[in-house]
Amino acid sequence: MEFLLDLHPDAYPLEGFRRRQLLEWVFVQGAGTFDAMTNLPAEARAELAARYHLNPFREIETVRSADSSVKYLFTLADGRQMEAVYMPYLDRKTICVSTMVGCPARCAFCATGAMGFGRNLTPGEIVAQVLAVAGGEGIAPRDIRNLVFMGMGEAMLNYANTMQAARILLHPQALGMSKRRVTLSTVGIAKGIRQLAQEDDLGIKLAISLHAPDEATRQRIIPTGAANSIEEIMAAARDYQEVTGRRITMEYTMLRGINDHLWQAELLADLLRGLVSHVNLIPMNPWDGSGFESSTEAQIQAFYDTLQARGVDVSVRRSRGKDAGAACGQLALKRPGAVSGIGAA
């Protein structure tokens, strides 16, 4: 059977008015079964059910944080597991979705990196995270207006499926998200950054997980970083900005005694000279066995002050859901065999 959510909305089955009804049931009403689509003829529902399935998840678990964020742990049909995080704010509802089971980038401070790589998610498996979270929270799918491809996996290494998912998210008859509220995060795949610049119909935002301004430190914490040097990443970022005119976010996880020295703040400011960017300083969300600690509040403030004094647009992004294990991969990492699929459920 085919997975309906893998299809672009323009390729959905049925014709004309009936197709619009089907799209509304899936993306507006969040229907989980074809039987629930009561205004479709019984014959059409039977044909759809015989050819397509709507739910890629065998099991869904949630862990709720005191700050109202919610970690979702999804067990897929093949037994593999991945995660999404729902973060409600007063003025918006945000979801962080995964694009892979595990991740090949192997960032040393990241729980997902410790899992290794399982497989790419399909476009529908990416989109289904939004629908499942909306259902779990008792809200309409379109109530979630902000989305980041910043969960488990390197989106640029699952490029085609991530782009298809983005087009579904943005489609006016699907989730109808604003391109200004969708962000793709990458560890710094230069080829992918340049490719994204050419996706004229998307216009989604770009975040680069730089995490260090010097090669020695970056390759220490991102073992695969040698494949894309800082020089190559920054060149790709400038090419991207020249084509799109869009501001780029630089993600920088603060690791105590590793990348939080003030000379590194100075070097980061030098790297960003002439680039329209915003730096997000992110205190590390600790997890057992990481071998890293978050920088102290005093050191984060000093790093922030150094960047700001050099004219860098910078903020500190406070982690949410620490009590729920909200850093990507923390829940799945506790389940032996989650990547391989052995004993995942």
Side-chain angles (χ1 to χ4, degrees), residues 135-281:
E137 298 306 307
I139 59 178
R142 289 189 176 186
D143 284 347
I144 300 175
R145 304 315 297 159
N146 290 62
L147 181 140
V148 288
F149 296 105
M150 203 177 290
M152 294 169 64
E154 167 52 61
M156 290 297 191
L157 296 180
N158 187 18
Y159 189 87
N161 288 349
T162 301
M163 292 303 105
Q164 173 79 328
R167 289 185 167 89
I168 295 169
L169 293 164
L170 297 173
H171 195 283
Q173 288 185 297
L175 287 172
M177 288 185 170
S178 166
K179 62 186 179 182
R180 296 177 182 176
R181 298 189 174 198
V182 177
T183 301
L184 183 149
S185 177
T186 175
V187 76
I189 310 298
K191 178 181 177 181
I193 292 170
R194 290 190 171 93
Q195 195 170 354
L196 182 64
Q198 303 303 320
E199 304 284 357
D200 295 335
D201 60 322
L202 285 180
I204 62 176
K205 297 192 292 185
L206 173 67
I208 298 175
S209 295
L210 194 63
H211 301 312
D214 60 293
E215 290 291 354
T217 303
R218 193 166 199 274
Q219 291 183 33
R220 174 183 174 185
I221 61 179
I222 307 176
T224 56
N228 291 267
S229 69
I230 293 174
E231 182 179 359
E232 291 170 328
I233 293 168
M234 296 307 300
R238 294 180 192 285
D239 290 346
Y240 170 90
Q241 192 157 91
E242 184 176 350
V243 171
T244 67
R246 289 189 286 273
R247 186 180 75 164
I248 298 171
T249 297
M250 292 291 176
E251 306 282 356
Y252 199 99
T253 298
M254 300 295 294
L255 305 173
R256 186 173 184 176
I258 305 295
N259 65 351
D260 60 356
H261 303 288
L262 297 189
W263 66 263
Q264 290 168 314
E266 296 280 358
L267 183 54
L268 179 59
D270 290 340
L271 284 176
L272 298 176
R273 188 179 296 115
L275 188 72
V276 181
S277 63
H278 176 82
V279 175
N280 258 335
L281 302 180

Side-chain angles (χ1 to χ4, degrees), residues 30 50-51 98 107 116 120 143 186 241 287 296 308 322:
R51 183 176 175 185
S98 295
C107 297
N120 289 332
D143 284 347
T186 175
Q241 192 157 91
W287 52 277
T296 64
Q308 193 174 59
K322 285 187 177 181

Side-chain angles (χ1 to χ4, degrees), residues 265 269 281 301-315:
L281 302 180
Q301 185 64 53
F303 202 93
Y304 172 98
D305 291 343
T306 301
L307 289 174
Q308 193 174 59
R310 292 285 302 274
V312 175
D313 186 17
V314 59
S315 62

Side-chain angles (χ1 to χ4, degrees), residues 11-34:
Y12 263 45
L14 306 183
E15 298 294 333
F17 176 64
R18 294 301 185 194
R19 177 184 288 176
R20 292 195 294 275
Q21 286 182 310
L22 175 58
L23 287 165
E24 182 166 336
W25 276 112
V26 173
F27 294 108
V28 180
Q29 302 297 329
T33 67
F34 293 111

